């Protein structure tokens, strides 16, 4: 029988925890083939959640309660996992909210995915059959949907569809391999950071449709603005593409301002653009080297010089792309179309082109 540790993080869930635990026990009785250990990680809930759980530990042998100080959802899960490794050596972990928003009846479907080869299963609100509460206000809907969209686009990982869901089943090896070092994500960002690590490491991820229903008892502990802020910080720190875009925008602004400045000092516009574009290219190189690709930072004078030369050479490619698009375009649509054509070329061709070249050529990981 496979050992499963089910982690229930709780903060003020006294009216939910008992019925939920009983229901979970029933699901596992029916499943039969798993040895379940329930681990409630409670942050000294002022409502007395721990008392309810203690009463249950007297009734059931497979329930353990951890009481610790308030540190956030991510911290609670990490604490629970470490505790479980120490005392229960589980093969599988389940994370489930203790407020009935995650239906325990879905667990057999989760295990099914595991049997079909998945390493990590997510209860997903954003796949066919899944949903968020219809009675939610528009704000909450937007936070939830936007949160996920930001993650998917920002990380450039379109699957899975639900990155923030806290309803999960995974092999304990996944946590052993990629779960450590996430202590700094003590709040809800933990979910995203852990999943990204798992996906990057190549684990097979599956999703089960989850109808995320509204709470009946208690309140959500999420602080929406804080939540979005932390997500954005995480994405910004981990999205090469976003950093690359930001550096690009800074470079472009720098070039425009410098050109204007030089022209006011009576410098010939052609020269002004040439000089300022050289500055912008250099600034882009430095910015990308220190920030975007800091994990592959180029250092040492000779190497810097060599790569900078490559960088300028490939920047000429971007110039050529724009030259071709604008030349061909104005032939068909007239001279006035130059601005739209240039913008089109930059967004759809130059940005992807440079991004590709930077990743594959300039900041490619080399063995020397
Ligand atoms: N121990 C502990 N400590 N538990 C906590 C804490 C904490 O600081 N904060 C929240 N919890 C528990 C709650 O008691 C509940 O069981 C579960 O974690 C989820 O918390 P909610 O406050 O109900 O979160 P939510 O429903 O608003 O958020 C849902 O959506 C998020 C974003 O999509 C959850 O599914 C999250 O997991 C998800 O990240
Ligand atoms: Mn909830």
């Amino acid at each position: 029988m496979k050992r499963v540790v089910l982690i229930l993080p709780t903060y003020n869930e006294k009216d939910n925890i008992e019925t939920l635990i009983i229901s979970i026990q029933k699901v596992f009785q029916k499943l039969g083939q798993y040895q379940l250990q329930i681990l409630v990680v409670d942050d000294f809930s002022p409502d007395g959640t721990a008392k309810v759980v203690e009463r249950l530990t007297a009734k059931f042998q497979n329930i353990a309660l951890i009481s610790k100080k308030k540190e956030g959802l991510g911290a609670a899960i990490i604490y629970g996992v470490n505790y479980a490794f120490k005392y229960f050596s589980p093969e599988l972990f389940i994370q489930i909210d203790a407020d009935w928003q995650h239906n325990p009846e879905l667990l057999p479907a989760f295990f099914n995915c595991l049997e079909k080869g998945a390493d990590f299963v997510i209860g997903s609100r954003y796949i066919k059959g899944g949903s968020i509460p219809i009675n939610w206000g528009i704000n909450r809907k937007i936070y939830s949907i936007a949160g996920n969209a930001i993650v998917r686009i920002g990380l450039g990982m379109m699957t899975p569809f639900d990155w923030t869901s806290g309803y999960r089943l995974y092999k304990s090896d996944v946590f052993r391999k990629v779960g450590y070092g996430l202590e700094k994500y003590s709040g809800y960002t933990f979910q995203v950071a852990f999943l990204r690590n798992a996906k990057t490491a190549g684990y097979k991820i599956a999703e089960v449709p989850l109808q995320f229903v509204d709470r009946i008892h208690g309140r959500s502990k999420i602080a929406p603005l804080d939540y979005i802020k932390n997500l954005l910080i995480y994405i910004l720190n981990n999205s090469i593409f976003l950093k690359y875009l930001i550096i690009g925008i800074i470079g472009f602004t720098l070039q425009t301002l410098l050109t204007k400045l030089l022209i006011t000092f009576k410098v010939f516009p052609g020269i002004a653009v040439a000089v300022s574009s050289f500055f912008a290219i250099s600034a882009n190189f430095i910015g990308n080297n220190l920030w975007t690709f800091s994990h592959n930072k180029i250092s040492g004078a000779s190497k810097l010089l060599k790569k900078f030369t490559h960088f300028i050479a490939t920047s000429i490619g971007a110039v050529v792309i724009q030259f071709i698009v604008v030349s061909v375009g104005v032939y068909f649509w007239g001279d006035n179309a130059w601005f739209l054509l240039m913008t089109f070329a930059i967004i759809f061709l130059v940005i992807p082109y440079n991004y590709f070249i930077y990743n594959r050529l300039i900041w490619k990981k080399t063995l020397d």
Side-chain angles (χ1 to χ4, degrees), residues 3-5 37-39 63-64 80 83-91:
R3 277 187 304 278
V4 184
V5 166
Q37 172 66 47
I38 293 176
L39 191 53
I63 303 177
Y83 186 94
F85 275 134
K86 202 161 157 199
Y87 295 104
F88 308 120
S89 353
E91 283 139 273

Side-chain angles (χ1 to χ4, degrees), residues 254-266 272 276:
L254 204 76
Q255 174 165 351
T256 313
L257 293 178
L258 194 60
T259 309
K260 281 198 172 152
L261 188 77
L262 289 174
I263 289 174
T264 53
F265 280 103
K266 303 273 181 278
S276 57

Side-chain angles (χ1 to χ4, degrees), residues 227-239:
Y227 166 66
I228 295 278
K229 188 191 88 193
N230 288 333
L231 258 189
L232 281 177
I233 292 173
Y234 175 79
I235 300 296
L236 207 59
N237 280 322
N238 291 282
S239 166

Side-chain angles (χ1 to χ4, degrees), residues 8-13 41-45 68-77 95-102 125-126 136 140 143-144 148 162-167 186 188-189 191 210 212 215 219-223 227:
L8 276 165
T10 55
Y11 195 73
N12 290 344
E13 305 291 0
V41 186
D42 183 59
D43 288 9
F44 292 127
S45 297
K68 61 173 208 47
K69 66 172 196 286
K70 176 96 173 80
E71 289 169 304
L73 176 58
I77 290 162
Q95 266 175 237
I96 180 169
D97 288 356
D99 57 2
W100 275 107
Q101 291 194 276
H102 295 159
R125 296 160 291 182
Y126 302 110
W136 265 8
R140 281 187 83 180
Y143 278 128
S144 184
N148 259 288
D162 197 336
W163 282 79
T164 52
S165 170
Y167 196 3
S186 58
Y188 292 80
T189 313
Q191 316 279 27
L210 165 68
F212 190 67
R215 266 176 184 268
R219 265 193 273 131
S220 164
K221 283 92 208 175
I222 227 167
Y227 166 66

Side-chain angles (χ1 to χ4, degrees), residues 149-335:
I150 290 169
V151 174
R152 291 172 66 206
I153 295 166
L155 294 182
M157 294 177 173
M158 297 321 277
T159 58
F161 289 88
D162 197 336
W163 282 79
T164 52
S165 170
Y167 196 3
R168 296 167 167 194
L169 163 65
Y170 43 85
K171 296 182 177 162
S172 54
D173 280 347
V174 179
F175 199 97
R176 262 196 211 100
K177 190 103 186 271
V178 302
Y180 291 104
L182 296 178
E183 287 74 12
K184 55 180 179 279
Y185 307 113
S186 58
Y188 292 80
T189 313
F190 164 81
Q191 316 279 27
V192 175
F194 178 41
L195 181 53
R196 174 171 177 268
N197 286 0
K199 167 131 183 160
T200 309
Y203 285 111
K204 198 159 173 256
I205 296 160
E207 289 177 279
V208 167
L210 165 68
Q211 290 174 347
F212 190 67
V213 292
D214 216 355
R215 266 176 184 268
I216 296 172
H217 302 292
R219 265 193 273 131
S220 164
K221 283 92 208 175
I222 227 167
L225 287 182
D226 224 39
Y227 166 66
I228 295 278
K229 188 191 88 193
N230 288 333
L231 258 189
L232 281 177
I233 292 173
Y234 175 79
I235 300 296
L236 207 59
N237 280 322
N238 291 282
S239 166
I240 293 177
F241 186 66
L242 267 188
K243 288 183 186 175
Y244 155 80
L245 273 188
I246 289 171
I247 294 290
I249 290 166
I250 294 173
F252 180 80
T253 314
L254 204 76
Q255 174 165 351
T256 313
L257 293 178
L258 194 60
T259 309
K260 281 198 172 152
L261 188 77
L262 289 174
I263 289 174
T264 53
F265 280 103
K266 303 273 181 278
V267 176
F268 176 68
I271 304 271
V273 172
V275 169
S276 57
S277 69
F278 181 76
F279 270 96
I281 288 173
S282 310
N284 272 3
F285 182 75
I286 294 168
N288 280 319
N289 194 40
L290 293 181
W291 193 42
T292 319
F293 296 97
S294 58
H295 51 287
N296 281 347
K297 198 183 290 167
I298 303 160
S299 50
S302 71
K303 207 148 181 225
L304 273 169
L305 195 67
K306 186 177 131 199
K307 289 286 187 177
F308 185 57
T309 318
H310 287 177
F311 190 82
I312 291 180
T314 57
S315 299
I316 293 169
V319 175
V320 172
I321 289 173
Q322 294 177 72
F323 171 75
I324 295 173
V325 171
V326 175
S327 310
V328 174
V330 293
Y331 175 81
F332 288 105
W333 294 293
D335 284 3

